[in-house]
Amino acid sequence: MFAVEVRDHIMVAHSFKGDLFGPARRLHGATFVVDVAFFRTTLTSDNVVVDIGRAHEALKAILMPLNYRNLDELPQFRGQESTTEFLCKHVFDALAAVARTGGLGPGGDGIGKIRVTLHESHVARAWYEGAIA
Amino acid sequence: MFAVEVRDHIMVAHSFKGDLFGPARRLHGATFVVDVAFFRTTLTSDNVVVDIGRAHEALKAILMPLNYRNLDELPQFRGQESTTEFLCKHVFDALAAVARTGGLGPGGDGIGKIRVTLHESHVARAWYEGAIA
Amino acid sequence: MFAVEVRDHIMVAHSFKGDLFGPARRLHGATFVVDVAFFRTTLTSDNVVVDIGRAHEALKAILMPLNYRNLDELPQFRGQESTTEFLCKHVFDALAAVARTGGLGPGGDGIGKIRVTLHESHVARAWYEGAIA
Amino acid sequence: MFAVEVRDHIMVAHSFKGDLFGPARRLHGATFVVDVAFFRTTLTSDNVVVDIGRAHEALKAILMPLNYRNLDELPQFRGQESTTEFLCKHVFDALAAVARTGGLGPGGDGIGKIRVTLHESHVARAWYEGAIA
Amino acid sequence: MFAVEVRDHIMVAHSFKGDLFGPARRLHGATFVVDVAFFRTTLTSDNVVVDIGRAHEALKAILMPLNYRNLDELPQFRGQESTTEFLCKHVFDALAAVARTGGLGPGGDGIGKIRVTLHESHVARAWYEGAIA
Amino acid sequence: MFAVEVRDHIMVAHSFKGDLFGPARRLHGATFVVDVAFFRTTLTSDNVVVDIGRAHEALKAILMPLNYRNLDELPQFRGQESTTEFLCKHVFDALAAVARTGGLGPGGDGIGKIRVTLHESHVARAWYEGAIA
């Protein structure tokens, strides 16, 4: 199994509602350093997993509506706790849709799996990994 | 598959017995930076993999009897080479017991897998990954 | 010149007012990984720059009122752009006050300089370094 | 599943041919920080996954013919795009051959899987993971 | 003293001539992760050291003519060993010129010092630090 | 001012005596990742700060008598608390002696300053910086 992983980041505000979250129920924020790994069982005819330029652009386009935002005010997260693990799945779903509709270019249809990791500090991170095809 | 990973560390002395270990048969030591990843196929009703506060506490409680110790003198490691990979399994077993007995709080019973990584330097690390349920 | 540096972190929301800041004028947030370095020309009789336990506690106490907060609502930052570099100076001033009033314990009076670094992402950080004595 | 991972690096020149690669079709170069993970379901009688000294030596021997070279001139890469993901597989194949022929020493025959990761910058990396036995 | 540091990177080929360099006299390459720190004794009226957006753009513009290039073929490096430390000074000189001619925007004239660090691997890096004013 | 920094590491056991150290008075251990920076106001005729190969070798030779050792048993540390900051100075003194006696090769006599950093974990490090000439 081959993989290629690229990195970007966002800076957001948000808060949680559940008792579980203690002081994080107050409005606070986070830098999320975002790593996205694309998996493929074989390489394309160019010997790549994915066109890394397109992968970077796709990730940036997905992150842009979140960057420098208060997630509590975004309709797509209404009624949801916007935890790190939940946001991993949000980015995954958006990238999966891009991959399935040819948005990653030639060979992008061969991507079998994507993993999205969000690092929230030097001591905590979360990820979601799922099949595409 | 979702995952959340948290970090702590210990500073220990130990030595090895087997010929394989060369100069590491002498009493020496290590800083082990410990990453623990909890895996769950779905999120809890709070949109988390695990209560990260409880996860940190459980890890700290497991590491405390090892921290600032000479592992050669601890009864739980008698007759064992306390290699990095062996220590990964030791921490895994203790965390698995906590997870199985409800010590990780609501939703902790849904954790399907745990991975324990010990970084021993900037150029070497080991991990153990196993099922919980 | 000797130095010892310790690390902690905070997760905050804030926004900027000046035109300079573009999209960062919207309410957003950041994880700030905070490194504090203490400088001393000679070591204490215990061969340390500072009691590292006390240094960690002092840093934690200074960061607590900021952690999981919206900085826009804190009186101490009223009328100020709470940029990364400004926050470095805020933490520095608080630590300098602790150092000057004996709060770092025996030998803490010999600390000549402190540097506070805030990492805001994997590609940007700021610091402030100033004399204590 | 147990794993042990070791690190080394190479500094190489190369270029690509396909239109996909844009400016990277020009002769350029890269530092590849190389992580190799060895996987084993049980530990050896010495409580290790692999003799870490031998693993380091095997990796170094495989990297040496590439280090400080222009990959475009090496016969083993003729007619191939020497992408990061392709090079991962190249290192994997060489290490798998060592593992299968006993070159990793006692217990090396129990290694079930190897993963080779090449970090090409602070924002991009690739890996290949495959079975040995 | 305040500082702000930003990061970018380049991937280049080059070779050395002097006997000192041993195998690095062969055509090879490097990823240079480039950190640029701007120093200022006071903050601007916006509480910043420098407009971080302009700083990033200035750095990118300076690195572009080097990126994906064989440095041996660039006229600006003719007759020079393009060592990591030499390249630090090259980037410094270009940034100093931008700073001195107002290219860093309002407040950029107050920058007193710049430091350019090039990381060439996980075990080696170089930097050049010099006054601007 | 130019600088070049190289990295190595040691794994040692030790203990402290003073009340200040709390649980670290027990025999424990550490991985110290060691960074050594060499400073020079101008480059040599080869455009380097120091022959990086010789610098690495000098560092390795100085660390070898400490590596895989219990520092409590080494005569050179008798009666001393072998704190991280103290060990920085120990390595500095040894490297300074090498630099002063020509052991860093041609141009090594122009090194004006050395800084030795020991990272003891992901959250703590110390350094000593001093003049050579």
Side-chain angles (χ1 to χ4, degrees), chain E residues 14-28 70-74 77-83 86, chain F residues 45-47:
Chain E
H14 66 157
S15 65
F16 300 122
K17 289 131 227 139
D19 289 343
L20 181 78
F21 297 99
R25 284 174 296 178
R26 300 195 298 249
L27 183 63
H28 64 287
N70 177 1
L71 304 185
D72 294 356
E73 295 174 352
L74 298 189
F77 300 136
R78 183 151 307 151
Q80 291 283 0
E81 305 280 13
S82 60
T83 59
F86 174 83
Chain F
S45 58
D46 285 308
N47 271 356

Side-chain angles (χ1 to χ4, degrees), chain A residues 84-106:
Chain A
T84 310
E85 42 270 65
F86 174 83
L87 293 171
C88 289
K89 182 67 160 53
H90 172 82
V91 176
F92 170 85
D93 286 342
L95 275 167
V98 171
R100 287 179 186 125
T101 56
L104 294 176

Side-chain angles (χ1 to χ4, degrees), chain C residues 22 41-42 53 57-58 71 87 102 105:
Chain C
T41 52
T42 58
E57 281 164 30
L71 303 185
L87 293 171

Side-chain angles (χ1 to χ4, degrees), chain A residues 18-21 80-86 88-89 120 122-130, chain B residues 1-7 35 37 39 41 43-52 56 115:
Chain A
D19 289 343
L20 179 79
F21 297 98
Q80 291 283 0
E81 305 279 13
S82 61
T83 59
T84 310
E85 42 270 65
F86 174 83
C88 289
K89 182 67 160 53
E120 72 176 62
H122 65 304
V123 290
R125 57 179 180 161
W127 60 91
Y128 178 79
E129 180 176 318
Chain B
M1 179 69 85
F2 290 92
V4 161
E5 191 169 48
V6 297
R7 175 167 285 194
D35 284 325
F39 295 80
T41 52
L43 296 180
T44 70
S45 57
D46 285 308
N47 271 357
V48 300
V49 166
V50 66
D51 180 339
I52 206 170
H56 260 120
R115 186 180 69 204

